[in-house]
Amino acid sequence: SLLPWCECAFAAAGEAARLQHSPVRLHLNYEQLDISPDEKLGLLGAHYLVAFDNDWYFGPSVFSAMDGERGGFFTGGFTAGTRRRIAKSWYWDSGLFVGAGGGGSAPQGGGMMVRPHLGISYDLGNLSVDGAVSYINFPNGDIESTQFSLGLGIPFTAYYGRATDTGRTILPLDLRGLSPRETEWLATWREYQPDAPAKTTHGAEMPHALQVLGFEYRHYLWQQGYLLAEAAGAAGGHSDGYAELMAGIGYRVPLSRRWSSTASVALGGAGGGRVDTDGGLSGKLGLGLEYTITPSLKLGIEAGRMESAGSFAADVYGMHLGYRIGTVAGGQHSRLWPEGKPVRLAGWRIVAAQHTVQSAARKHGEPRDLHLLGGKVERFLNRSIYVTGQAFGAYDGGAGGYAVGLIGAGWELPLRRDRRLALDLELAAGAAGGGSVDVGGGTIVQPMAALIWRMNKTLGLRLEAGRVSSDGGALDSNMLGLALQFEFSRPEYGNREWR
């Protein structure tokens, strides 16, 4: 099964718990849409698909423009489907994506995107290749296209525990054959200093530096080498609506007990906010210097170079605050878990949410309600305090292409002793823009309260209310939302235990 039903109350630390696992597939696909009789849009999709109930899967998906004339076109949402064996190494696959987004001045209307697909894949062991026919439709826009999609899948295993086991220690026997892995979550701020030839999509020069806020995730394959994924959006520089989504590799070199240097390269999609990235394909090189504040926290500075398929190119300067977490990954079955590395289960939540921003101010025309679809990832630091990362896109309200990325923290207050009813108080900030919503430079602040009713041991309903305010823009509106949350625990160990 995907993740077993679990109690919502936190368990006492020190008690042993059983570690469980589920198959996961990281799937990448590329397809070209016909968005007009004489224009194509090259779209790259990335999907994190968790298998449950044998043949069924579910998970988050993102799509980014990589070719054409619509750099800055992004959509995000969720994919559900089934993958069934039809021969020794052959599978047929069908599924449905529902999400929201847009950008790049594409005719996406309000932003809702629906994508069913039907295909066939061949399993090569550690890799699968596939072909599929997909149909993409923006029901309240003018994009409707049927095309062929090529993809590849990378299978691996996710290890987890029940939410009831949060705070408990994993049985040593359950760690046999697993390897310790370091991961890092970084909050990032960067400034792009564009080259003199850089132009806007309207042909004007870009005289202003571009500031972006975002986050980066690193997964270390060994002590020095890591994979990275990053997302960021404009928070200043007269380019609200600019966004980027990239993945790559990096290498860390320790210089002393607290100092280290890093080098990284990333590729992906970027654009929006009138920044000329042409079809969206962009790349970034970076060099960094990092200082370890505590075993779990670090501070870094960086410099690098950004290039795009369009005229936009820039020198990059930035800083980040990082949080280190040790976790586990599959290894040789005969390997014993290293002594002195106790592993405990930390509480996590994944939330799928719909928000309505009331009377959202527009750059042109009268304010009107804005409807958003997105998700949150939340990690508890203790029994009550959690940190959150969020991403949303418009699906209705005449603002297709409007997107939001937030990071923040919250406090959960139980209203019943069994924690089935609880109140969350949360404050988040980040970047937003696109869709002609008046967000000024792109920085927004969003306080929120959520009333949570846990329906069973894993799933809960959330009624959310808050306010979203922009820095320098007219957007200052109340917000209401309805969400479904999914709770589990994740095996982690502190850096004091593996440094």
Side-chain angles (χ1 to χ4, degrees):
S1 62
L2 174 57
L3 290 176
W5 302 115
C6 48
E7 297 292 337
C8 299
F10 281 70
E15 299 180 24
R18 297 301 302 269
L19 192 63
Q20 303 179 57
H21 58 87
S22 286
V24 178
R25 182 163 48 100
L26 177 61
H27 185 250
L28 303 174
N29 72 283
Y30 182 80
E31 55 200 347
Q32 285 202 328
L33 285 63
D34 293 312
I35 65 172
S36 75
D38 56 356
E39 182 184 350
K40 290 185 177 293
L41 170 63
L43 207 58
L44 178 68
H47 318 266
Y48 185 90
L49 304 174
V50 182
F52 66 98
D53 194 24
N54 296 323
D55 300 320
W56 294 88
Y57 60 81
F58 178 82
S61 299
V62 294
F63 292 89
S64 173
M66 303 293 284
D67 189 28
E69 304 173 6
R70 306 293 178 172
F73 182 95
F74 297 96
T75 60
F78 298 92
T79 297
T82 182
R83 186 172 185 261
R84 299 176 182 270
R85 186 191 299 269
I86 55 176
K88 180 179 180 181
S89 298
W90 292 91
Y91 296 79
W92 70 267
D93 186 299
S94 64
L96 174 67
F97 165 86
V98 177
S105 299
Q108 72 277 313
M112 173 172 279
M113 173 176 161
V114 179
R115 179 189 181 270
H117 74 269
L118 176 64
I120 190 169
S121 66
Y122 183 77
D123 191 351
L124 298 171
N126 293 325
L127 187 72
S128 64
V129 294
D130 61 83
V133 175
S134 67
Y135 169 74
I136 291 180
N137 183 28
F138 284 73
N140 48 23
D142 295 323
I143 299 178
E144 184 177 12
S145 176
T146 301
Q147 56 281 319
F148 185 70
S149 172
L150 290 174
L152 60 87
I154 304 171
F156 59 97
T157 301
Y159 296 88
Y160 60 90
R162 300 173 301 177
T164 41
D165 290 335
T166 296
R168 294 180 177 176
T169 303
I170 299 297
L171 292 170
L173 185 62
D174 279 351
L175 298 172
R176 181 184 295 272
L178 301 180
S179 302
R181 287 287 189 270
E182 178 185 351
T183 62
E184 295 175 344
W185 297 85
L186 284 67
T188 62
W189 175 90
R190 295 187 177 103
E191 180 170 285
Y192 294 164
Q193 294 281 353
D195 293 351
K199 305 284 187 181
T200 70
T201 53
H202 297 155
E205 293 187 5
M206 288 188 64
H208 303 284
L210 172 61
Q211 294 85 37
V212 298
L213 290 174
F215 67 89
E216 180 179 325
Y217 171 75
R218 297 178 181 177
H219 178 85
Y220 281 80
L221 302 176
W222 65 94
Q223 189 174 3
Q224 286 81 32
Y226 58 87
L227 302 176
L228 67 90
E230 58 176 306
H238 304 277
S239 294
D240 64 285
Y242 172 86
E244 59 186 49
L245 182 64
M246 297 187 176
I249 57 174
Y251 193 82
R252 178 180 64 189
V253 178
L255 303 177
S256 68
R257 182 172 174 269
R258 291 187 178 270
W259 290 94
S260 60
S261 62
T262 62
S264 63
V265 57
L267 290 173
R274 300 168 299 280
V275 177
D276 178 22
T277 59
D278 197 23
L281 179 62
S282 302
K284 183 164 33 179
L285 295 171
L287 296 174
L289 184 65
E290 298 179 338
Y291 177 76
T292 299
I293 304 171
T294 72
S296 295
L297 291 176
K298 68 174 185 177
L299 186 66
I301 58 174
E302 60 183 277
R305 182 71 180 170
M306 173 82 162
E307 298 278 352
S308 76
S311 67
F312 179 68
D315 294 326
V316 183
Y317 306 95
M319 61 186 300
H320 58 255
L321 179 66
Y323 181 65
R324 294 185 177 123
I325 303 173
T327 186
V328 304
Q332 297 178 359
H333 294 292
S334 60
R335 181 173 177 175
L336 296 177
W337 184 261
E339 294 184 6
K341 290 184 173 60
V343 175
R344 294 182 175 87
L345 290 164
W348 285 75
R349 286 195 302 218
I350 296 175
V351 182
Q354 185 277 339
H355 287 166
T356 296
V357 181
Q358 297 177 331
S359 299
R362 310 303 171 100
K363 294 179 180 178
H364 312 287
E366 295 297 319
R368 57 182 294 193
D369 289 354
L370 173 62
H371 305 282
L372 308 175
L373 180 67
K376 311 179 184 183
V377 178
E378 300 175 344
R379 195 261 189 188
F380 278 86
L381 302 179
N382 57 28
R383 185 178 177 88
S384 301
I385 305 299
Y386 63 89
V387 292
T388 177
Q390 308 177 11
F392 286 84
Y395 72 89
D396 197 13
Y402 177 78
V404 178
L406 301 167
I407 56 175
W411 181 27
E412 179 163 306
L413 300 131
L415 301 180
R416 283 180 33 158
R417 295 186 64 181
D418 61 3
R419 303 181 73 92
R420 291 197 68 180
L421 184 65
L423 176 68
D424 278 14
L425 301 176
E426 178 181 298
L427 179 63
S436 293
V437 179
D438 191 353
V439 294
T443 302
I444 64 169
V445 178
Q446 184 174 289
M448 178 179 290
L451 186 65
I452 299 174
W453 173 255
R454 291 181 166 99
M455 299 180 293
N456 51 42
K457 298 177 181 180
T458 294
L459 295 176
L461 283 176
R462 295 161 63 122
L463 182 62
E464 302 181 330
R467 191 164 184 88
V468 55
S469 301
S470 61
D471 180 17
L475 180 65
D476 187 17
S477 300
N478 293 327
M479 181 177 61
L480 297 174
L482 185 64
L484 180 69
Q485 71 177 29
F486 182 77
E487 296 182 287
F488 60 101
S489 61
R490 185 170 180 261
E492 298 176 1
Y493 56 91
N495 289 279
R496 290 184 181 88
E497 296 151 356
W498 53 266
R499 283 283 180 188

